[in-house]
Amino acid sequence: MKIIYLSLLGLAVHLGTFGQQLIKTPVAGDDGIRSCGQHEALEKMQAEDPTRYQLYQQSRLILEQQEASVGMAKSNTIYTVPVVFHILHNNGVENISDAQIQDALNILNRDFRKQNSDVNNVVSQFLPIADDAKIEFAFAKIAPNGACFNGITRTTSSQTNNGDDGEAQVNAIINGNNVYQGIWPHNKYLNIYVCRNLISGAAGYTFLPQGGAAANATNMYYNGIFMLHSYVGSIGTSSVQTSRALTHEVGHWLNLDHVWGPGSIGTCGTDNVSDTPQTNGSNGVCNLNKSSCDGTLDNVENYMDYSYCSKMFTQGQVTRMRNAIVSNVAGRSNTWTTANLQSVGVIPGGTSLCSANIEATQTGICSGTSTTFSVTNVSTPITSYSWSFPGGTPATSTAASPTITYNTPGTYDVSVTITTSSGTSTLNQTSYITVASSQPGASLPFTEGFTSTSFPPANWTIDNGGASVTWVRRTGGTAPSGSGSAAIDHYNTNTTGDIDDLNTPTLNLSGYTGSTLTFDVAYRPYTGQSDKLEVLVATGCAGTYEVVYSKAGTTLQTESSNQNPYTSPSTWRNETVNLAPYVGNNQVKVKFRTTSGYGNYIYIDNVNVTGTTGSATANFSSSSNTVCVGQTVTYTNTSSGATSWNWNFGAGATPATATGQGPHTVTYSSPGAKNISLSINGGASTSNQSITVNQLPTVTMATLPTVCVNQGPITLSQGSPAGGTYSGQGVTGNQFTPSVAGTGTKTITYTYTATTGCTNTATGQIIVDGCLSLGTEENTLFTVYPNPTSGNVTVTSEVAIDELIILDNVGRVVEVIAGDNATEIQVNLSHLSAGSYHIHTKLGANSNITKLIIR
């Protein structure tokens, strides 16, 4: 029997067998699955701070009105949010490493940019609406007092255990952190508080956007994110299974409810997102066939559920988050502005050196090779450099971009002291350069039957992906070795997504025309669960691994599934993998990788790599025979028996030549017929091919007019040659509609494709003025004064005013004010930044827009 323990809001649940059916649910962490504590924190707010709760409800209404009145964030702008991780610890395991925090930020960016590979496995019904939020996160580098730091603060306090009092935890950080003891404004930083204990035993919690931009401890609490340390990142005290909890909480921070709505899990509420089906939520169970409320399939793999198999945001959720981030509610709209990103050091600006970074052209290299260093993200000229390269040659340098050779395998630090007109700063990169041996690998044939009791075998290595269970030797295998095998236990590994690698020694495939890997595998799935086995190959001492074999579940199985542990395999299958693409390399690395699905044991045995020899013949293929100037062509080696390669890609190519097997990607800067040649083994065989590179057409755009926002559609005909297409905000076909584009300067792009298939573009600017009005200068129906103003504005009208809408100079709504049918309204706009705005006034069936200057 398998026994699973879950901790849900402090309630321990024991799941065992019922009749003949076993409930088998992935569980993560040493204390079971934990939920988001937002609902409990909100109840606490309502009970203990009713004034704030009223403000919270008002903020909800404002956001809903703004979202309903105007599509506030329809552009493709990528918003960057500065992040600070505040580690509140008492010298325990909750004092997580910088590496674990960096891993958490990487996962957050991966998920919000839809770069997670598992999104491709989303249930087919929801795959088309899985969307990229186009929101990114970066460590802040400048504290509120101007001090440089790495985006992480650490505070030693017993308050880390006081999960029921988040405000006390925030105050401990304000008064005791090691970087800046004071307020970290919530409209400048996304504050993430990492603790040992949170409210109701939650994995994390935060509140939906609420309140204003005032910098104080209360707003820090109500606009920050609280995370349990074991749910931050996928390494250290956390795991792959718990690594999406921060993605979930940032979704709340950007105005997303749980998929079942704002109430408790188990109720069929609404999250106010049209494309998320109604659901009562999934409590740690990943049932992809669940239809809980209205008969439609639940989006169980949504980040805002508790299923622990989350992979996606929907298009509707992305729209809601992007609307929230451009709203002034809770100061979200300030976080991503250029001025703020410069002030907190995410991008260079002013005289601060806090955002400066060391960058190398390659951080993983072979011994005896070189890499070049530089300093980036500095806005003022650097007048001197003092570099230190332990283990490198030379070991020091005063050059701006030194090239350093590393002759000995190992991991090395790099540091540099730079001087500018604003002062001196020292930058350090710990364990930045990894140097691998360039010695040839083991000769073929290579055989391993796991007969020795020593494991891993000589020169084999293991990379453990996180859980305590990984590859081991088990007695019993299959002929011809038979006495042992390599195995991994996914039956008792109650996580999913845990990756473990078993790595062969480096092999030498030079001098061969072909090579083959064979191995035996045994696997019997656990009913309803699926594990994966892959084989990956890399060449060179620092090459990138490629998947050459991948099977999972019933495709991998050698025996039919059941619910028993697979401890005595009896049916094996021999697998063959072609390694011909890697012959000619004297360093080839092979790894066997498993990805856990809480299924069953996987076994491999009798690993063999052999090579074949024959005459060498040069040959290659190209990705295209006809391209345009500026486009790329990829040349792939298909030679046999090659041990060295010399390429020439023809006139105008970048790069012009290359050595090494490739593939090589080339760009051509000039038109014409190009001759490409590949010579192998010092000229023993040569292959030649040609491609045609076509010129780009000349495309122009004539001057565009200035139009009024209330003007009807205008026909675009400024592009040349005729026959192309127009695109841009407010453009449909060859028509530009000012009211759709909104006021401001808009870019119109004209794209033309020649008969050769080559495409070029030209752009022009069209100015949309908010010149809509109800009358002439003699008509006093509508009055705004004083204008310009420092904040207080009076609006008068001869007829009842329905509503005032304040827009910024690019047409985004910043304020909506009910008119209540009054003929005079006084408005305080002192909270808005100085600049140009428009007041859109609705007067019965009519409307009026007038320009307003705030000083």
Side-chain angles (χ1 to χ4, degrees):
M1 175 192 297
K2 284 201 175 182
I3 300 175
I4 302 114
Y5 293 92
L6 300 94
S7 174
L8 300 171
L9 299 179
L11 175 64
V13 182
H14 170 213
L15 304 179
T17 56
F18 181 79
Q20 297 300 313
Q21 219 170 9
L22 181 67
I23 301 173
K24 188 165 186 285
T25 304
V27 181
D30 57 0
D31 51 358
I33 291 177
R34 292 170 179 257
S35 65
C36 164
Q38 186 200 59
H39 182 65
E40 289 71 25
L42 192 58
E43 288 182 335
K44 186 173 185 289
M45 178 206 287
Q46 185 177 11
E48 299 179 4
D49 193 349
T51 301
R52 185 73 188 203
Y53 186 75
Q54 283 186 335
L55 179 62
Y56 174 86
Q57 297 295 353
Q58 292 169 3
S59 299
R60 305 271 53 72
L61 290 174
I62 292 171
L63 278 167
E64 297 299 335
Q65 289 170 355
Q66 290 176 343
E67 186 167 1
S69 64
V70 177
M72 295 167 59
K74 294 182 179 179
S75 72
N76 287 321
T77 301
I78 297 173
Y79 299 104
T80 300
V81 177
V83 177
V84 180
F85 283 82
H86 300 280
I87 313 303
L88 183 62
H89 68 94
N90 202 21
N91 297 307
V93 293
E94 70 278 5
N95 189 19
I96 59 178
S97 68
D98 288 4
Q100 184 173 341
I101 298 165
Q102 178 67 65
D103 183 58
L105 191 74
N106 294 343
I107 292 169
L108 194 62
N109 279 309
R110 177 199 69 191
D111 291 349
F112 271 80
R113 291 308 315 275
K114 197 189 167 188
Q115 294 173 347
N116 50 305
S117 59
D118 57 0
V119 74
N120 299 314
N121 301 324
V122 165
V123 170
S124 59
Q125 178 172 327
F126 298 109
L127 186 58
I129 62 170
D131 205 6
D132 174 3
K134 294 185 177 65
I135 298 172
E136 297 180 351
F137 305 86
F139 284 120
K141 297 295 183 66
I142 302 177
N145 64 344
C148 296
F149 77 124
N150 65 348
I152 302 168
T153 78
R154 296 185 185 273
T155 305
T156 305
S157 171
S158 60
Q159 289 291 341
T160 188
N161 298 304
N162 188 13
D164 288 332
D165 194 345
E167 291 180 273
Q169 291 179 323
V170 169
N171 282 323
I173 292 168
I174 290 172
N175 296 314
N177 77 82
N178 63 335
V179 176
Y180 166 69
Q181 294 181 10
I183 301 299
W184 294 73
H186 68 286
N187 68 330
K188 295 173 67 69
Y189 307 93
L190 166 53
N191 293 301
I192 300 175
Y193 312 113
V194 180
C195 308
R196 189 183 183 97
N197 190 24
L198 302 180
I199 189 170
S200 300
Y205 72 93
T206 187
F207 301 89
L208 303 187
Q210 26 104 18
N216 54 51
T218 299
N219 274 334
M220 272 186 69
Y221 167 66
Y222 283 120
N223 288 283
I225 295 175
F226 290 78
M227 295 299 302
L228 196 68
H229 69 91
S230 54
Y231 285 71
V232 176
S234 63
I235 61 176
T237 65
S238 189
S239 68
V240 173
Q241 176 73 5
T242 59
S243 63
R244 255 62 185 267
L246 182 56
T247 303
H248 176 103
E249 296 305 331
V250 174
H252 285 318
W253 188 80
L254 290 169
N255 202 36
L256 293 186
D257 273 313
H258 293 124
V259 286
W260 60 86
S264 298
I265 190 169
T267 58
C268 293
T270 177
D271 62 353
N272 293 307
V273 178
S274 60
D275 60 1
T276 57
Q278 193 175 32
T279 178
N280 62 8
S282 300
N283 233 341
V285 179
C286 187
N287 178 4
L288 302 182
N289 298 311
K290 185 170 184 272
S291 299
S292 59
C293 291
D294 57 3
T296 59
L297 186 67
D298 290 2
N299 184 202
V300 171
E301 295 168 302
N302 195 290
Y303 288 128
M304 302 313 295
D305 204 341
Y306 287 174
S307 64
Y308 280 77
C309 61
S310 58
K311 303 177 179 69
M312 63 170 287
F313 290 117
T314 68
Q315 293 169 352
Q317 287 176 315
V318 165
T319 297
R320 190 173 176 87
M321 289 190 290
R322 290 176 66 79
N323 284 338
I325 206 169
V326 300
S327 170
N328 63 349
V329 171
R332 297 288 190 269
S333 59
N334 184 67
T335 58
W336 49 266
T337 61
T338 299
N340 188 58
L341 294 179
Q342 289 177 336
S343 73
V344 301
V346 170
I347 59 176
T351 59
S352 173
L353 299 178
C354 293
S355 58
N357 288 322
I358 295 174
E359 286 194 1
T361 52
Q362 289 180 291
T363 57
I365 61 174
C366 304
S367 58
T369 61
S370 304
T371 185
T372 300
F373 295 88
S374 61
V375 175
T376 62
N377 286 350
V378 178
S379 57
T380 54
I382 299 174
T383 56
S384 69
Y385 299 80
S386 178
W387 293 91
S388 176
F389 304 104
T393 302
T396 62
S397 176
T398 58
S401 298
T403 297
I404 308 300
T405 302
Y406 290 86
N407 295 310
T408 306
T411 302
Y412 299 99
D413 302 339
V414 177
S415 66
V416 62
T417 299
I418 58 175
T419 302
T420 71
S421 59
S422 60
T424 298
S425 179
T426 298
L427 313 177
N428 297 285
Q429 287 278 21
T430 303
S431 301
Y432 187 51
I433 302 298
T434 301
V435 183
S437 172
S438 57
Q439 294 298 312
S443 300
L444 302 186
F446 172 79
T447 300
E448 180 56 60
F450 307 106
T451 56
S452 171
T453 57
S454 176
F455 191 87
N459 298 317
W460 287 64
T461 59
I462 293 173
D463 295 322
N464 185 349
S468 59
V469 175
T470 190
W471 286 98
V472 297
R473 179 185 183 271
R474 291 182 66 93
T475 57
T478 186
S481 63
S483 62
S485 58
I488 188 165
D489 174 12
H490 291 319
Y491 183 87
N492 294 299
T493 309
N494 57 353
T495 62
T496 60
D498 190 43
I499 295 174
D500 290 86
D501 294 337
L502 178 62
N503 307 299
T504 71
T506 303
L507 305 174
N508 187 347
L509 270 60
S510 63
Y512 296 99
T513 57
S515 181
T516 302
L517 162 69
T518 62
F519 64 96
D520 294 315
V521 63
Y523 176 64
R524 183 179 68 203
Y526 183 94
T527 303
Q529 306 290 98
S530 177
D531 306 299
K532 182 192 293 184
L533 174 67
E534 295 177 306
V535 177
L536 298 89
V537 179
T539 58
C541 50
T544 301
Y545 279 93
E546 303 171 315
V547 176
V548 296
Y549 166 99
S550 181
K551 291 185 178 181
T554 56
T555 304
L556 179 63
Q557 74 178 34
T558 57
E559 299 181 41
S560 298
S561 63
N562 63 33
Q563 296 178 341
N564 299 315
Y566 189 46
T567 54
S568 300
S570 59
T571 304
W572 294 77
R573 181 178 63 247
N574 185 256
E575 303 279 34
T576 300
V577 178
N578 181 17
L579 298 181
Y582 307 99
V583 298
N585 291 281
N586 64 6
Q587 285 194 324
V588 177
K589 292 175 282 191
V590 179
K591 65 170 62 199
F592 294 88
R593 169 172 290 177
T594 63
T595 304
S596 65
Y598 196 20
N600 223 319
Y601 291 81
I602 298 176
Y603 299 81
I604 63 169
D605 199 3
N606 298 319
V607 177
N608 296 279
V609 180
T610 58
T612 56
T613 58
S615 59
T617 302
N619 202 4
F620 65 95
S621 64
S622 60
S623 59
S624 177
N625 293 323
T626 303
V627 295
C628 304
V629 169
Q631 291 182 337
T632 60
V633 183
T634 299
Y635 298 104
T636 303
N637 169 63
T638 58
S639 305
S640 60
T643 58
S644 65
W645 301 262
N646 287 282
W647 300 80
N648 188 304
F649 301 116
T654 302
T657 62
T659 59
Q661 181 179 5
H664 297 286
T665 299
V666 177
T667 304
Y668 290 94
S669 60
S670 61
K674 310 296 180 180
N675 296 312
I676 301 94
S677 66
L678 168 63
S679 176
I680 65 171
N681 299 354
S685 178
T686 301
S687 177
N688 295 279
Q689 296 181 27
S690 65
I691 70 166
T692 299
V693 180
N694 292 313
Q695 181 64 280
L696 298 178
T698 300
V699 180
T700 61
M701 176 83 99
T703 302
L704 292 162
T706 296
V707 297
C708 292
V709 73
N710 63 328
Q711 188 173 332
I714 64 171
T715 300
L716 299 171
S717 59
Q718 291 81 4
S720 178
T725 60
Y726 296 89
S727 61
Q729 194 172 357
V731 175
T732 301
N734 67 340
Q735 299 286 307
F736 175 76
T737 306
S739 61
V740 174
T743 58
T745 301
K746 310 299 175 181
T747 298
I748 306 297
T749 300
Y750 180 69
T751 303
Y752 175 79
T753 301
T755 56
T756 60
C758 295
T759 299
N760 207 352
T761 63
T763 61
Q765 306 292 322
I766 186 168
I767 298 173
V768 181
D769 195 356
C771 46
L772 176 67
S773 63
L774 285 175
T776 63
E777 294 179 358
E778 290 76 32
N779 190 336
T780 58
L781 180 63
F782 173 76
T783 305
V784 176
Y785 65 90
N787 189 5
T789 179
S790 59
N792 291 313
V793 176
T794 300
V795 180
T796 64
S797 172
E798 295 181 2
V799 296
I801 300 173
D802 292 340
E803 188 177 52
L804 295 181
I805 301 175
I806 314 299
L807 304 98
D808 64 13
N809 64 352
V810 294
R812 294 177 299 194
V813 173
V814 297
E815 192 105 15
V816 178
I817 301 152
D820 297 327
N821 293 317
T823 57
E824 180 175 301
I825 299 176
Q826 293 183 341
V827 184
N828 185 353
L829 300 178
S830 59
H831 60 283
L832 297 180
S833 302
S836 176
Y837 296 83
H838 289 83
I839 295 182
H840 180 189
T841 308
K842 293 184 178 179
L843 308 170
N846 301 306
S847 63
N848 189 90
I849 294 179
T850 193
K851 191 171 185 179
L852 174 68
I853 302 298
I854 298 180
R855 293 182 294 197

